[in-house]
Amino acid sequence: KIQCGQSSSQNCTYFESPGLEQSGTCRSQICKMDPNICQFRLDFERFVVAGPSTSTSQSLRILNGAVSSSSFAPFANTASQCLTDSFAVTNPGGPSPPVLCGTNSGEHS
């Protein structure tokens, strides 16, 4: 088992949160135990954090006092975005899975 700030290169590593007293960023590292490994599977036995935004309102993007003229739409919609809590996996040099939030118990990535 590992907790925040720890790392492991063992098969079947379990991450265990210390509980509700944990706040802020928590980082752990899972390393390949063999260079031939090309994929990790994350199974969530119990995973519950704040869910995504359900807001349907839009906000106008302002940059330096003017409506943003970037290649993105000038309106920002926060619906379905993880604004409070999130779980993210980084993969240096490769693609990363989408950011998760809400209830993901019994799921895998």
Side-chain angles (χ1 to χ4, degrees), residues 1-9 13 27-31:
K1 290 182 187 178
I2 63 170
Q3 294 185 351
C4 293
Q6 296 178 324
S7 65
S8 175
S9 60
T13 296
R27 295 180 191 271
S28 292
Q29 185 175 21
I30 305 297
C31 305

Side-chain angles (χ1 to χ4, degrees), residues 9 17 21 28 61 64 76 81 87-89 97 99 102:
S9 60
S17 172
E21 68 277 6
S28 292
R61 293 179 198 241
N64 296 326
Q81 294 181 16
F87 174 86
V89 174
V99 173

Side-chain angles (χ1 to χ4, degrees), residues 61-97:
R61 293 179 198 241
I62 305 293
L63 181 62
N64 296 326
V67 173
S68 174
S69 61
S70 70
S71 60
F72 300 104
F75 291 95
N77 187 338
T78 60
S80 76
Q81 294 181 16
C82 300
L83 302 176
T84 305
D85 292 331
S86 63
F87 174 86
V89 174
T90 58
N91 177 19
S96 296

